[in-house]
Amino acid sequence: MDSSNTIKEFFENQGGIKMELNTISGLAIAGVICSVVLSMGVPIALFIAGRVKLKARISSFFIGAGTYLLFAMLLEQLLHVLVIRFCGLNAQSRPWLYYVYAALAAAVFEETGRLIAMKFWMKKWLDFPNALMYGIGHGGVEAILLGGLSGISNLVSMLMINSGAMQNTLAALPAESANQTVSQLSALWTTPAPLFFVSGIERISAIILHIGLSLLIYRAVKAGKYRTAAFTAVLAYGIHFIVDFFAVAGPALLPIYVIEIGVFVMAAGTLVMALKMGRMEEL
């Protein structure tokens, strides 16, 4: 490891275990800052635009956010715990089966939540602007949680490592806990710096996708014919599955940059298709 861009901090902890922390490059820190700004700033900007330009209800945003928290962060995670604990299915034991399961679970829980929210909780005021605002809430809270808050946590750790504060904190921990922490932190200096910019781009793609899928479910709920409604709903479920499967399985076969470009293209294509299927005069 090149000593010109790293600072080796060695210290002896209980049990004589040696640990090493390396400095974080300025480019990596800039990438995290950029991702945090995108992950938190874009949802806020879209929320303001939806409210001011489209006159959408604020409640539609929070219903979208709440539905994501309920169906994706609570119910879906409970299923994952059961599947992993009782079936032993994970990415290490049976990777491709796990990829299919993970993508299918995400599609089923999130699209079902979207369908329930629009059909029942937003029934009295469901229209194009509010369906779009729902998508901003759904994708926005995901971006804030997965990209914004986690990015802030990484940024704090990076600054603590570079300032030496992290070394002092680790020195006060038992050896086992300190080494586990160092192992977790190691991704901050082993990950190529440009990849830290990817997180923000990934969140933008996810927001675009969730807006597009929300508009598809909106069209399904508003469709007068059962066949049209069923086709549009199944289309939303299918697109969600394909995009998620590509995102989770892709790293096994393709470079991360190719995956992110592919996800962005599919997300943008979903939004364009949903807009063409929708009633543009409602804008």
Side-chain angles (χ1 to χ4, degrees):
M1 192 171 294
D2 188 357
S3 60
S4 65
N5 56 22
T6 64
I7 299 175
K8 295 182 177 180
E9 293 287 345
F10 295 98
F11 55 89
E12 296 295 329
N13 211 330
Q14 290 95 329
I17 297 176
K18 184 179 290 186
M19 288 165 291
E20 177 185 348
L21 292 177
N22 298 291
T23 53
I24 311 299
S25 71
L27 183 61
I29 293 175
V32 172
I33 293 174
C34 178
S35 291
V36 169
V37 171
L38 288 175
S39 297
M40 303 190 78
V42 170
I44 293 173
L46 290 175
F47 168 78
I48 294 173
R51 178 61 180 164
V52 174
K53 297 292 185 180
L54 298 180
K55 309 300 181 184
R57 289 172 173 255
I58 295 176
S59 58
S60 297
F61 176 91
F62 286 104
I63 289 175
T67 302
Y68 169 78
L69 294 175
L70 174 60
F71 282 84
M73 299 301 290
L74 179 59
L75 298 179
E76 183 184 343
Q77 299 309 314
L78 288 175
L79 176 64
H80 292 334
V81 171
L82 294 175
V83 169
I84 293 173
R85 177 174 298 179
F86 295 107
C87 301
L89 179 62
N90 55 61
Q92 288 72 42
S93 62
R94 287 169 284 179
W96 290 100
L97 181 59
Y98 177 80
Y99 298 150
V100 172
Y101 156 74
L104 185 61
V108 169
F109 276 95
E110 292 188 52
E111 297 314 311
T112 300
R114 227 185 294 266
L115 191 61
I116 291 173
M118 292 189 184
K119 190 169 182 63
F120 299 104
W121 303 337
M122 298 173 61
K123 183 177 181 179
K124 293 183 178 179
W125 67 84
L126 182 61
D127 56 14
F128 180 89
N130 284 292
L132 191 145
M133 184 66 103
Y134 174 98
I136 295 172
H138 187 128
V141 73
E142 181 185 62
I144 291 171
L145 291 176
L146 302 185
L149 297 184
S150 64
I152 290 173
S153 176
N154 286 337
L155 180 61
V156 170
S157 295
M158 287 174 162
L159 296 178
M160 288 181 66
I161 290 171
N162 283 1
S163 68
M166 184 64 74
Q167 289 87 332
N168 296 331
T169 300
L170 292 173
L173 297 176
E176 184 177 356
S177 298
N179 280 325
Q180 288 178 352
T181 303
V182 171
S183 178
Q184 293 169 355
L185 292 173
S186 64
L188 298 179
W189 61 78
T190 58
T191 301
L195 289 184
F196 286 103
F197 289 89
V198 171
S199 176
I201 299 172
E202 184 180 74
R203 290 303 102 209
I204 299 303
S205 296
I207 293 173
I208 293 172
L209 178 66
H210 284 304
I211 292 175
L213 292 173
S214 296
L215 294 179
L216 285 178
I217 294 296
Y218 156 67
R219 295 304 305 149
V221 172
K222 286 293 188 178
K225 297 180 179 180
Y226 174 79
R227 287 187 178 180
T228 302
F231 171 79
T232 308
V234 170
L235 182 63
Y237 279 85
I239 290 173
H240 198 146
F241 170 78
I242 291 170
V243 175
D244 274 24
F245 180 78
F246 180 75
V248 297
L253 302 172
L254 300 168
I256 186 65
Y257 302 104
V258 174
I259 296 168
E260 294 304 328
I261 291 172
V263 169
F264 179 82
V265 170
M266 286 188 285
T270 300
L271 179 58
V272 170
M273 178 177 61
L275 289 172
K276 288 185 177 181
M277 291 175 65
R279 295 177 179 177
M280 298 300 295
E281 64 270 15
E282 290 185 45
L283 287 167

